[in-house]
Amino acid sequence: MSLQGLKSVLEKEANEEKAGIHSRFFKTGKGEYGEGSIFLGIPVPVLRNIAKKYQNLSLKDLQILLDDKIHTYRFIAVIILVEEYKKSDRKKKKEIYEFYLKNSKNINNWDLVDVSAPHIVGEYLYNQSRTIAKKTLQQLAISENLWERRIAIVSTYHFIRQNRFGETIGVTQILLKDKHDLIHKACGWMLRELGKRDQEVLESFLDKYVDMMPRTMLRYSIERFEEEKRKYYLNK
C-alpha cells in the first residue's frame, strides 16, 4: 500500500459536484480562511475506510500529503496519524505528537483540527504533568496562527472526557478576546461539552465571564440549558 496507490484511489473516488460544495462550505475563496485548498469531494466515511488500508505509510509519506494543497490529502493524513497514534507505544506517540505540532501550518481548516487534536495533542498532554500541559496549551492559545489556537481549545476535549476541566477553562479565558468566529465556536463547543458533565462548573464560568464572551461563544455554550436559564444568560 504505497503513497502513489493512495493518491490513485482518492482520484478514483473524487466527485466534482461534491468538491464544489465542499469548497464553498470550507471557505476557500480569496481572503477566506481556507483560501487555496482543493477538495476532491469524497465523504468522510469513505476516507476513513480508505485510511484503514494505508496505515503503513511512513511519516515521510504523510509529510508529503500534509504539504499538498489538496485538502483531502491532508484530511486522510491526519486520520492515519490518529489511528497510528492510538496503537503506538510512548516513544512513538511522542514522535507523532511532535510531528503533528510541527505541521500545524498544514492542519489548516477546522475539520482537520477537530478530527485529530483531541486524539493526539489532547491525549498526549493529558498524560504529561499538569505544568507541561498548561504551558503547552497556553503557548498554542496565544499563537498568531489561527489553527494553533483552535488546536489549543479543541485538544481539551480529551481532558473534558476525563472529567478534568481546568485546561478548558484556562484556554477559554485566554481566548475570550479572540477576534475569529472559528475560535468563538470552538470555545463555546468545549464549554457546552464541559457543561454536559458538570453544569455547575459551566455556570460558575458564565457568571464570571458572560459580559466578556462573544455572543457566538455564549450561544454555543448554553445550547443545552433550559429555556429560562438560556434567556437569563443571553440577557445579562
Side-chain angles (χ1 to χ4, degrees), residues 38-91:
I38 297 172
F39 287 79
L40 298 182
I42 306 173
V44 170
V46 175
L47 290 173
R48 288 189 178 278
N49 285 331
I50 294 172
K52 292 176 183 177
K53 301 174 183 178
Y54 289 88
Q55 286 298 303
N56 65 319
L57 292 183
S58 66
L59 291 184
K60 182 178 179 180
D61 288 335
L62 296 178
Q63 186 66 65
I64 292 171
L65 293 174
L66 287 169
D67 285 335
D68 203 287
K69 62 185 178 181
I70 296 178
H71 177 280
T72 311
Y73 287 0
R74 301 198 300 279
F75 187 91
I76 205 163
V78 296
I79 291 296
I80 292 172
L81 276 174
V82 167
E83 294 306 313
E84 182 66 20
Y85 182 92
K86 288 178 181 178
K87 66 181 184 181
S88 295
D89 59 22
R90 290 179 64 183
K91 182 179 179 182

Short mmCIF file of all heavy atoms in Angstrom, two decimals, residues 38-91:
data_model
loop_
_atom_site.label_atom_id
_atom_site.label_comp_id
_atom_site.label_asym_id
_atom_site.label_seq_id
_atom_site.Cartn_x
_atom_site.Cartn_y
_atom_site.Cartn_z
N ILE A 38 -7.97 22.65 -2.08
CA ILE A 38 -8.68 21.93 -3.15
C ILE A 38 -9.33 20.68 -2.54
O ILE A 38 -8.69 19.94 -1.80
CB ILE A 38 -7.71 21.52 -4.28
CG1 ILE A 38 -7.11 22.76 -4.94
CG2 ILE A 38 -8.42 20.65 -5.32
CD1 ILE A 38 -6.01 22.45 -5.93
N PHE A 39 -10.59 20.47 -2.87
CA PHE A 39 -11.33 19.33 -2.36
C PHE A 39 -11.60 18.33 -3.48
O PHE A 39 -11.85 18.72 -4.62
CB PHE A 39 -12.65 19.78 -1.73
CG PHE A 39 -12.47 20.48 -0.41
CD1 PHE A 39 -12.07 21.81 -0.36
CD2 PHE A 39 -12.69 19.81 0.79
CE1 PHE A 39 -11.90 22.46 0.85
CE2 PHE A 39 -12.52 20.45 2.01
CZ PHE A 39 -12.12 21.78 2.04
N LEU A 40 -11.60 17.05 -3.12
CA LEU A 40 -11.90 16.01 -4.09
C LEU A 40 -13.36 15.54 -3.98
O LEU A 40 -13.82 14.75 -4.81
CB LEU A 40 -10.96 14.82 -3.91
CG LEU A 40 -9.48 15.11 -4.12
CD1 LEU A 40 -8.65 13.84 -3.95
CD2 LEU A 40 -9.22 15.73 -5.49
N GLY A 41 -14.08 16.01 -2.96
CA GLY A 41 -15.49 15.68 -2.85
C GLY A 41 -15.78 14.26 -2.39
O GLY A 41 -16.76 13.66 -2.83
N ILE A 42 -14.93 13.74 -1.51
CA ILE A 42 -15.10 12.37 -1.01
C ILE A 42 -15.68 12.41 0.40
O ILE A 42 -15.13 13.09 1.27
CB ILE A 42 -13.76 11.61 -1.01
CG1 ILE A 42 -13.10 11.68 -2.39
CG2 ILE A 42 -13.94 10.16 -0.57
CD1 ILE A 42 -11.69 11.12 -2.44
N PRO A 43 -16.77 11.69 0.68
CA PRO A 43 -17.37 11.71 2.01
C PRO A 43 -16.40 11.18 3.08
O PRO A 43 -15.57 10.31 2.81
CB PRO A 43 -18.58 10.77 1.87
CG PRO A 43 -18.87 10.75 0.41
CD PRO A 43 -17.54 10.89 -0.28
N VAL A 44 -16.55 11.69 4.30
CA VAL A 44 -15.66 11.30 5.40
C VAL A 44 -15.68 9.79 5.67
O VAL A 44 -14.61 9.19 5.86
CB VAL A 44 -16.01 12.10 6.67
CG1 VAL A 44 -15.27 11.54 7.88
CG2 VAL A 44 -15.66 13.57 6.48
N PRO A 45 -16.84 9.13 5.71
CA PRO A 45 -16.81 7.68 5.96
C PRO A 45 -15.99 6.91 4.93
O PRO A 45 -15.30 5.94 5.28
CB PRO A 45 -18.29 7.28 5.89
CG PRO A 45 -19.03 8.53 6.24
CD PRO A 45 -18.22 9.65 5.63
N VAL A 46 -16.04 7.35 3.69
CA VAL A 46 -15.24 6.71 2.64
C VAL A 46 -13.76 6.94 2.89
O VAL A 46 -12.94 6.02 2.77
CB VAL A 46 -15.63 7.24 1.24
CG1 VAL A 46 -14.72 6.65 0.16
CG2 VAL A 46 -17.09 6.91 0.93
N LEU A 47 -13.40 8.15 3.28
CA LEU A 47 -12.00 8.47 3.58
C LEU A 47 -11.49 7.64 4.76
O LEU A 47 -10.35 7.17 4.75
CB LEU A 47 -11.84 9.96 3.88
CG LEU A 47 -12.02 10.91 2.69
CD1 LEU A 47 -12.01 12.36 3.15
CD2 LEU A 47 -10.93 10.68 1.64
N ARG A 48 -12.33 7.46 5.75
CA ARG A 48 -11.92 6.66 6.92
C ARG A 48 -11.66 5.20 6.51
O ARG A 48 -10.71 4.58 6.98
CB ARG A 48 -12.98 6.72 8.00
CG ARG A 48 -13.04 8.07 8.73
CD ARG A 48 -13.95 8.00 9.94
NE ARG A 48 -13.98 9.25 10.67
CZ ARG A 48 -13.08 9.63 11.56
NH1 ARG A 48 -12.04 8.84 11.82
NH2 ARG A 48 -13.20 10.79 12.20
N ASN A 49 -12.49 4.67 5.65
CA ASN A 49 -12.30 3.30 5.20
C ASN A 49 -11.03 3.15 4.37
O ASN A 49 -10.31 2.16 4.50
CB ASN A 49 -13.52 2.84 4.39
CG ASN A 49 -14.72 2.52 5.25
OD1 ASN A 49 -14.56 2.13 6.41
ND2 ASN A 49 -15.92 2.68 4.71
N ILE A 50 -10.77 4.14 3.55
CA ILE A 50 -9.54 4.12 2.74
C ILE A 50 -8.32 4.21 3.66
O ILE A 50 -7.33 3.50 3.48
CB ILE A 50 -9.53 5.27 1.72
CG1 ILE A 50 -10.64 5.06 0.68
CG2 ILE A 50 -8.17 5.37 1.03
CD1 ILE A 50 -10.84 6.24 -0.25
N ALA A 51 -8.40 5.08 4.66
CA ALA A 51 -7.27 5.29 5.57
C ALA A 51 -6.85 4.00 6.26
O ALA A 51 -5.66 3.77 6.50
CB ALA A 51 -7.62 6.35 6.60
N LYS A 52 -7.83 3.14 6.59
CA LYS A 52 -7.53 1.88 7.28
C LYS A 52 -6.58 1.00 6.48
O LYS A 52 -5.82 0.21 7.04
CB LYS A 52 -8.82 1.12 7.56
CG LYS A 52 -9.73 1.78 8.58
CD LYS A 52 -11.04 1.00 8.73
CE LYS A 52 -11.98 1.69 9.71
NZ LYS A 52 -13.28 0.98 9.81
N LYS A 53 -6.61 1.14 5.16
CA LYS A 53 -5.79 0.29 4.29
C LYS A 53 -4.39 0.86 4.08
O LYS A 53 -3.53 0.21 3.47
CB LYS A 53 -6.48 0.13 2.94
CG LYS A 53 -7.87 -0.49 3.04
CD LYS A 53 -8.57 -0.51 1.70
CE LYS A 53 -9.98 -1.07 1.82
NZ LYS A 53 -10.71 -1.05 0.52
N TYR A 54 -4.17 2.09 4.59
CA TYR A 54 -2.88 2.75 4.35
C TYR A 54 -2.19 3.16 5.65
O TYR A 54 -1.46 4.14 5.70
CB TYR A 54 -3.07 3.95 3.43
CG TYR A 54 -3.38 3.54 2.01
CD1 TYR A 54 -4.70 3.30 1.62
CD2 TYR A 54 -2.36 3.33 1.09
CE1 TYR A 54 -4.99 2.88 0.34
CE2 TYR A 54 -2.64 2.91 -0.21
CZ TYR A 54 -3.96 2.68 -0.58
OH TYR A 54 -4.23 2.26 -1.87
N GLN A 55 -2.40 2.37 6.69
CA GLN A 55 -1.79 2.64 7.99
C GLN A 55 -0.27 2.46 7.98
O GLN A 55 0.42 2.89 8.90
CB GLN A 55 -2.41 1.74 9.06
CG GLN A 55 -3.81 2.13 9.47
CD GLN A 55 -3.90 3.51 10.11
OE1 GLN A 55 -3.23 3.78 11.09
NE2 GLN A 55 -4.70 4.38 9.53
N ASN A 56 0.22 1.81 6.93
CA ASN A 56 1.67 1.55 6.87
C ASN A 56 2.46 2.73 6.32
O ASN A 56 3.70 2.68 6.29
CB ASN A 56 1.94 0.33 5.97
CG ASN A 56 1.54 0.58 4.52
OD1 ASN A 56 0.50 1.19 4.25
ND2 ASN A 56 2.35 0.13 3.59
N LEU A 57 1.80 3.80 5.92
CA LEU A 57 2.53 4.94 5.37
C LEU A 57 3.44 5.54 6.42
O LEU A 57 3.07 5.69 7.59
CB LEU A 57 1.56 5.99 4.84
CG LEU A 57 0.72 5.63 3.61
CD1 LEU A 57 -0.11 6.83 3.18
CD2 LEU A 57 1.60 5.15 2.46
N SER A 58 4.63 5.92 6.00
CA SER A 58 5.62 6.50 6.91
C SER A 58 5.30 7.96 7.18
O SER A 58 4.51 8.59 6.47
CB SER A 58 7.01 6.39 6.29
OG SER A 58 7.08 7.19 5.12
N LEU A 59 5.96 8.51 8.19
CA LEU A 59 5.80 9.94 8.45
C LEU A 59 6.30 10.76 7.26
O LEU A 59 5.77 11.84 6.98
CB LEU A 59 6.56 10.34 9.72
CG LEU A 59 6.00 9.81 11.04
CD1 LEU A 59 6.81 10.36 12.22
CD2 LEU A 59 4.52 10.15 11.22
N LYS A 60 7.27 10.25 6.55
CA LYS A 60 7.77 10.93 5.35
C LYS A 60 6.66 11.01 4.30
O LYS A 60 6.45 12.05 3.66
CB LYS A 60 8.98 10.19 4.79
CG LYS A 60 9.60 10.86 3.57
CD LYS A 60 10.83 10.09 3.09
CE LYS A 60 11.44 10.76 1.86
NZ LYS A 60 12.63 10.02 1.38
N ASP A 61 5.93 9.90 4.12
CA ASP A 61 4.80 9.89 3.18
C ASP A 61 3.71 10.85 3.64
O ASP A 61 3.14 11.60 2.84
CB ASP A 61 4.21 8.49 3.07
CG ASP A 61 5.10 7.51 2.32
OD1 ASP A 61 5.91 7.96 1.49
OD2 ASP A 61 4.99 6.29 2.59
N LEU A 62 3.42 10.81 4.94
CA LEU A 62 2.37 11.68 5.48
C LEU A 62 2.76 13.15 5.37
O LEU A 62 1.90 14.01 5.18
CB LEU A 62 2.07 11.31 6.93
CG LEU A 62 1.49 9.91 7.13
CD1 LEU A 62 1.27 9.62 8.61
CD2 LEU A 62 0.18 9.73 6.37
N GLN A 63 4.05 13.43 5.47
CA GLN A 63 4.52 14.81 5.30
C GLN A 63 4.21 15.30 3.89
O GLN A 63 3.79 16.45 3.71
CB GLN A 63 6.02 14.90 5.57
CG GLN A 63 6.56 16.32 5.54
CD GLN A 63 6.02 17.16 6.67
OE1 GLN A 63 6.29 16.89 7.84
NE2 GLN A 63 5.25 18.19 6.34
N ILE A 64 4.39 14.44 2.92
CA ILE A 64 4.09 14.80 1.53
C ILE A 64 2.60 15.13 1.38
O ILE A 64 2.23 16.11 0.73
CB ILE A 64 4.49 13.66 0.57
CG1 ILE A 64 6.02 13.52 0.55
CG2 ILE A 64 3.96 13.92 -0.84
CD1 ILE A 64 6.53 12.29 -0.18
N LEU A 65 1.77 14.33 2.01
CA LEU A 65 0.32 14.59 1.95
C LEU A 65 -0.03 15.89 2.65
O LEU A 65 -0.84 16.68 2.16
CB LEU A 65 -0.45 13.43 2.59
CG LEU A 65 -0.40 12.08 1.88
CD1 LEU A 65 -1.08 11.01 2.72
CD2 LEU A 65 -1.08 12.16 0.50
N LEU A 66 0.57 16.13 3.80
CA LEU A 66 0.26 17.34 4.58
C LEU A 66 0.75 18.61 3.89
O LEU A 66 0.19 19.70 4.09
CB LEU A 66 0.88 17.24 5.98
CG LEU A 66 0.17 16.26 6.92
CD1 LEU A 66 1.02 16.03 8.16
CD2 LEU A 66 -1.21 16.76 7.30
N ASP A 67 1.78 18.49 3.08
CA ASP A 67 2.32 19.65 2.36
C ASP A 67 1.51 19.99 1.11
O ASP A 67 1.74 21.02 0.49
CB ASP A 67 3.77 19.40 1.95
CG ASP A 67 4.74 19.51 3.12
OD1 ASP A 67 4.42 20.22 4.09
OD2 ASP A 67 5.80 18.88 3.07
N ASP A 68 0.58 19.12 0.74
CA ASP A 68 -0.16 19.29 -0.51
C ASP A 68 -1.31 20.29 -0.35
O ASP A 68 -1.91 20.40 0.71
CB ASP A 68 -0.71 17.94 -0.98
CG ASP A 68 -0.97 17.91 -2.47
OD1 ASP A 68 -1.96 18.54 -2.91
OD2 ASP A 68 -0.19 17.26 -3.20
N LYS A 69 -1.63 21.00 -1.42
CA LYS A 69 -2.73 21.96 -1.40
C LYS A 69 -4.09 21.26 -1.44
O LYS A 69 -5.13 21.91 -1.22
CB LYS A 69 -2.61 22.94 -2.56
CG LYS A 69 -2.68 22.30 -3.94
CD LYS A 69 -2.44 23.34 -5.03
CE LYS A 69 -2.45 22.71 -6.42
NZ LYS A 69 -2.20 23.72 -7.48
N ILE A 70 -4.09 19.97 -1.73
CA ILE A 70 -5.35 19.23 -1.75
C ILE A 70 -5.77 18.89 -0.32
O ILE A 70 -5.10 18.13 0.38
CB ILE A 70 -5.23 17.94 -2.60
CG1 ILE A 70 -4.96 18.31 -4.06
CG2 ILE A 70 -6.52 17.10 -2.49
CD1 ILE A 70 -4.77 17.10 -4.98
N HIS A 71 -6.84 19.50 0.09
CA HIS A 71 -7.34 19.34 1.46
C HIS A 71 -7.61 17.87 1.79
O HIS A 71 -7.34 17.41 2.90
CB HIS A 71 -8.62 20.17 1.62
CG HIS A 71 -9.28 20.05 2.95
ND1 HIS A 71 -10.08 18.98 3.30
CD2 HIS A 71 -9.28 20.87 4.03
CE1 HIS A 71 -10.53 19.14 4.52
NE2 HIS A 71 -10.07 20.28 4.99
N THR A 72 -8.14 17.14 0.84
CA THR A 72 -8.48 15.73 1.05
C THR A 72 -7.25 14.91 1.41
O THR A 72 -7.33 13.99 2.23
CB THR A 72 -9.14 15.15 -0.20
OG1 THR A 72 -10.18 16.04 -0.64
CG2 THR A 72 -9.73 13.77 0.07
N TYR A 73 -6.11 15.24 0.83
CA TYR A 73 -4.85 14.56 1.18
C TYR A 73 -4.49 14.84 2.64
O TYR A 73 -4.08 13.94 3.38
CB TYR A 73 -3.70 15.04 0.30
CG TYR A 73 -3.71 14.56 -1.14
CD1 TYR A 73 -4.72 13.73 -1.63
CD2 TYR A 73 -2.70 14.94 -2.01
CE1 TYR A 73 -4.71 13.31 -2.95
CE2 TYR A 73 -2.68 14.51 -3.34
CZ TYR A 73 -3.69 13.70 -3.80
OH TYR A 73 -3.66 13.28 -5.11
N ARG A 74 -4.66 16.10 3.03
CA ARG A 74 -4.31 16.46 4.40
C ARG A 74 -5.26 15.80 5.40
O ARG A 74 -4.84 15.36 6.48
CB ARG A 74 -4.32 17.99 4.57
CG ARG A 74 -3.34 18.70 3.61
CD ARG A 74 -3.03 20.11 4.05
NE ARG A 74 -4.19 20.98 4.12
CZ ARG A 74 -4.75 21.59 3.09
NH1 ARG A 74 -4.27 21.41 1.86
NH2 ARG A 74 -5.80 22.38 3.25
N PHE A 75 -6.52 15.72 5.02
CA PHE A 75 -7.51 15.10 5.91
C PHE A 75 -7.18 13.63 6.13
O PHE A 75 -7.18 13.15 7.28
CB PHE A 75 -8.91 15.24 5.32
CG PHE A 75 -10.00 14.78 6.24
CD1 PHE A 75 -10.61 15.66 7.11
CD2 PHE A 75 -10.41 13.45 6.26
CE1 PHE A 75 -11.60 15.25 7.98
CE2 PHE A 75 -11.41 13.02 7.12
CZ PHE A 75 -12.00 13.92 7.99
N ILE A 76 -6.91 12.90 5.07
CA ILE A 76 -6.63 11.48 5.25
C ILE A 76 -5.31 11.27 5.98
O ILE A 76 -5.14 10.31 6.73
CB ILE A 76 -6.66 10.72 3.90
CG1 ILE A 76 -6.99 9.25 4.15
CG2 ILE A 76 -5.36 10.88 3.12
CD1 ILE A 76 -7.46 8.50 2.92
N ALA A 77 -4.38 12.21 5.83
CA ALA A 77 -3.11 12.13 6.56
C ALA A 77 -3.34 12.22 8.06
O ALA A 77 -2.75 11.45 8.84
CB ALA A 77 -2.15 13.23 6.11
N VAL A 78 -4.19 13.15 8.51
CA VAL A 78 -4.41 13.29 9.95
C VAL A 78 -5.22 12.10 10.49
O VAL A 78 -5.03 11.69 11.63
CB VAL A 78 -5.08 14.64 10.33
CG1 VAL A 78 -4.16 15.80 9.99
CG2 VAL A 78 -6.44 14.81 9.72
N ILE A 79 -6.11 11.54 9.66
CA ILE A 79 -6.84 10.34 10.08
C ILE A 79 -5.86 9.18 10.31
O ILE A 79 -5.95 8.45 11.31
CB ILE A 79 -7.88 9.94 9.02
CG1 ILE A 79 -9.02 10.97 8.97
CG2 ILE A 79 -8.45 8.54 9.31
CD1 ILE A 79 -9.83 11.04 10.24
N ILE A 80 -4.93 9.02 9.40
CA ILE A 80 -3.91 7.97 9.54
C ILE A 80 -3.06 8.22 10.78
O ILE A 80 -2.75 7.29 11.54
CB ILE A 80 -3.04 7.88 8.27
CG1 ILE A 80 -3.88 7.35 7.09
CG2 ILE A 80 -1.83 6.98 8.50
CD1 ILE A 80 -3.17 7.42 5.75
N LEU A 81 -2.71 9.48 11.02
CA LEU A 81 -1.91 9.82 12.20
C LEU A 81 -2.65 9.46 13.49
O LEU A 81 -2.05 8.92 14.42
CB LEU A 81 -1.58 11.32 12.21
CG LEU A 81 -0.38 11.79 11.41
CD1 LEU A 81 -0.30 13.31 11.43
CD2 LEU A 81 0.92 11.19 11.95
N VAL A 82 -3.92 9.77 13.54
CA VAL A 82 -4.72 9.46 14.74
C VAL A 82 -4.73 7.96 15.00
O VAL A 82 -4.52 7.50 16.13
CB VAL A 82 -6.16 10.00 14.60
CG1 VAL A 82 -7.07 9.42 15.69
CG2 VAL A 82 -6.17 11.52 14.68
N GLU A 83 -4.99 7.19 13.96
CA GLU A 83 -5.06 5.73 14.13
C GLU A 83 -3.71 5.15 14.50
O GLU A 83 -3.61 4.23 15.31
CB GLU A 83 -5.60 5.08 12.86
CG GLU A 83 -7.04 5.44 12.55
CD GLU A 83 -7.98 5.16 13.72
OE1 GLU A 83 -7.90 4.07 14.32
OE2 GLU A 83 -8.78 6.07 14.06
N GLU A 84 -2.66 5.70 13.92
CA GLU A 84 -1.31 5.23 14.25
C GLU A 84 -0.96 5.59 15.70
O GLU A 84 -0.36 4.79 16.42
CB GLU A 84 -0.29 5.87 13.29
CG GLU A 84 1.14 5.42 13.49
CD GLU A 84 1.37 3.95 13.17
OE1 GLU A 84 0.55 3.36 12.44
OE2 GLU A 84 2.38 3.40 13.67
N TYR A 85 -1.35 6.78 16.11
CA TYR A 85 -1.09 7.22 17.48
C TYR A 85 -1.75 6.28 18.48
O TYR A 85 -1.14 5.90 19.49
CB TYR A 85 -1.61 8.65 17.66
CG TYR A 85 -1.35 9.21 19.04
CD1 TYR A 85 -0.19 9.95 19.30
CD2 TYR A 85 -2.24 9.01 20.09
CE1 TYR A 85 0.07 10.46 20.56
CE2 TYR A 85 -1.99 9.52 21.34
CZ TYR A 85 -0.84 10.23 21.59
OH TYR A 85 -0.59 10.72 22.85
N LYS A 86 -2.99 5.90 18.22
CA LYS A 86 -3.75 5.07 19.16
C LYS A 86 -3.06 3.75 19.47
O LYS A 86 -3.14 3.24 20.59
CB LYS A 86 -5.15 4.81 18.60
CG LYS A 86 -6.08 6.00 18.62
CD LYS A 86 -7.42 5.65 18.00
CE LYS A 86 -8.35 6.84 17.98
NZ LYS A 86 -9.66 6.51 17.33
N LYS A 87 -2.38 3.19 18.50
CA LYS A 87 -1.79 1.86 18.68
C LYS A 87 -0.29 1.91 18.99
O LYS A 87 0.36 0.87 19.07
CB LYS A 87 -2.04 1.00 17.45
CG LYS A 87 -1.34 1.48 16.18
CD LYS A 87 -1.69 0.57 15.00
CE LYS A 87 -0.92 0.99 13.75
NZ LYS A 87 -1.25 0.13 12.59
N SER A 88 0.25 3.11 19.17
CA SER A 88 1.69 3.27 19.36
C SER A 88 2.11 3.20 20.82
O SER A 88 1.29 3.43 21.73
CB SER A 88 2.16 4.61 18.77
OG SER A 88 1.99 4.63 17.38
N ASP A 89 3.40 2.91 21.04
CA ASP A 89 3.95 2.96 22.38
C ASP A 89 4.31 4.41 22.72
O ASP A 89 4.14 5.31 21.89
CB ASP A 89 5.18 2.05 22.51
CG ASP A 89 6.30 2.40 21.53
OD1 ASP A 89 6.35 3.55 21.04
OD2 ASP A 89 7.14 1.53 21.26
N ARG A 90 4.78 4.64 23.94
CA ARG A 90 5.01 6.02 24.40
C ARG A 90 6.01 6.77 23.52
O ARG A 90 5.82 7.94 23.22
CB ARG A 90 5.52 5.99 25.85
CG ARG A 90 4.45 5.57 26.86
CD ARG A 90 5.01 5.54 28.27
NE ARG A 90 5.42 6.86 28.71
CZ ARG A 90 6.00 7.11 29.88
NH1 ARG A 90 6.23 6.11 30.72
NH2 ARG A 90 6.32 8.35 30.22
N LYS A 91 7.06 6.08 23.10
CA LYS A 91 8.08 6.72 22.27
C LYS A 91 7.51 7.17 20.93
O LYS A 91 7.75 8.29 20.47
CB LYS A 91 9.25 5.77 22.06
CG LYS A 91 10.39 6.37 21.24
CD LYS A 91 11.54 5.39 21.09
CE LYS A 91 12.66 5.98 20.25
NZ LYS A 91 13.78 5.01 20.06
#
